[in-house]
Amino acid sequence: MLTYVFLTLGGLLLGATVYRYDMHEREPWWMLVLAMLGGALLMFGAFEMESLLERLLIRGGLDFNASFNKALLAASLEESAKLAVPVAVLLMMRRHFNDPMDGLIYGSLAGLGAALFESVWWQWYAPPAVDASAIEVAGPSAVRFLMHTLWGGIDGYALGLIVMKKPWRSALARCVGLVMLMHFAWDYLVGFAEDQTHWRKLVAAGLIGASVVWYGMLVVRTSKWSRAMHAPQSKQRLAGKIIRMLLTRRIR
């Protein structure tokens, strides 16, 4: 029970952090909840599709005990599932997709919902995790939350270019393609690998670092576009807000 409390609190904290980025035209809270639920439901669908395709490919003679095959399937299906959430908002609820940051925000929350579902799934169905304590799963769950949230936001980033009437197709292809490649590398070298060697851990650390830097650059860029569109006279900057927040906490 304590494990699920930690997972939920961690997810809510990360979601609140993402929400703080949307300073100039914030989305209603219920849309953010829907994005998280959509990410969780579509992650469930991706898991089911992975299982079905694995069975079909095994019948066709493909060895699905191989880490390469499992990682390739997981990366392509799971990232497509997360991208489907901001796409659905764009197509079905366009009045709530009117800010350059919306693709990144909805994608991030979809990734957070996907991570929450995946963490719960591993607790229920993965034998090594079932008997693990909350402390033992805290580390992997934290990384899972972080990576799915970052990758989901990067997936959806290019959709925000549509609001700006900027070329978006090539940006979408690059973002989704590179995220799928990073997801594949993570699963192949770390997630499904039986031997956790030092060089694999270094690669994992590099992927985390690259994802954080990339996501941060996109947040700064889209925040600048959002301010120019909705509050051009505003003196509020993302960096300034973060610095004030850190100073306020330090004073307290």
Side-chain angles (χ1 to χ4, degrees):
M1 182 62 183
L2 187 59
T3 298
Y4 297 108
V5 172
F6 281 158
L7 291 176
T8 302
L9 290 177
L12 291 174
L13 178 61
L14 188 53
T17 302
V18 171
Y19 186 60
R20 291 180 72 93
Y21 297 147
D22 199 9
M23 298 185 296
H24 302 292
E25 204 282 321
R26 290 194 164 180
E27 309 309 311
W29 66 268
W30 55 270
M31 283 296 297
L32 304 182
V33 172
L34 285 178
M36 288 184 62
L37 291 175
L41 289 173
L42 288 171
M43 193 67 162
F44 169 74
F47 273 37
E48 291 296 310
M49 184 62 69
E50 285 177 41
S51 178
L52 175 62
L53 289 177
E54 283 185 20
R55 292 195 298 269
L56 292 176
L57 292 172
I58 288 173
R59 290 177 186 174
L62 185 65
D63 177 17
F64 239 89
N65 292 321
S67 299
F68 182 92
N69 297 325
K70 294 177 71 68
L72 184 62
L73 195 58
S76 57
L77 289 177
E78 291 174 16
E79 295 307 323
S80 297
K82 288 184 289 184
L83 178 62
V85 172
V87 169
V89 176
L90 177 66
L91 295 178
M92 301 171 63
M93 307 182 77
R94 183 59 186 268
R95 67 189 182 92
H96 292 298
F97 202 111
N98 58 353
D99 182 22
M101 288 202 75
D102 285 352
L104 189 145
I105 293 294
Y106 286 125
S108 298
L109 271 296
L112 183 56
L116 187 58
F117 168 80
E118 188 176 53
S119 295
V120 172
W121 185 90
W122 277 105
Q123 285 296 294
W124 282 351
Y125 295 111
V130 169
D131 297 326
S133 68
I135 300 301
E136 290 172 323
V137 301
S141 294
V143 172
R144 187 178 298 120
F145 278 129
L146 178 65
M147 300 305 279
H148 274 306
T149 301
L150 296 180
W151 289 341
I154 295 170
D155 283 334
Y157 154 78
L159 298 177
L161 298 178
I162 297 175
V163 177
M164 298 290 293
K165 302 187 184 320
K166 292 178 177 287
W168 59 273
R169 292 179 177 84
S170 60
L172 181 64
R174 288 195 302 271
C175 288
V176 176
L178 286 174
V179 164
M180 285 185 178
L181 181 61
M182 295 172 78
H183 191 151
F184 164 78
W186 178 275
D187 282 349
Y188 178 60
L189 297 174
V190 182
F192 298 133
E194 295 182 0
D195 56 328
Q196 298 296 326
T197 59
H198 290 298
W199 76 268
R200 290 180 187 269
K201 293 178 180 179
L202 287 175
V203 170
L207 288 173
I208 293 175
S211 299
V212 170
V213 171
W214 188 8
Y215 185 88
M217 292 172 61
L218 296 182
V219 167
V220 171
R221 182 181 300 172
T222 51
S223 178
K224 180 179 178 180
W225 289 341
S226 178
R227 181 174 58 84
M229 174 177 285
H230 298 290
Q233 304 302 320
S234 174
K235 296 182 180 180
Q236 188 177 27
R237 301 292 194 277
L238 179 64
K241 182 173 183 178
I242 293 175
I243 291 172
R244 286 195 300 273
M245 179 182 68
L246 293 175
L247 289 176
T248 301
R249 289 184 177 179
R250 174 170 290 186
I251 292 172
R252 289 178 182 176

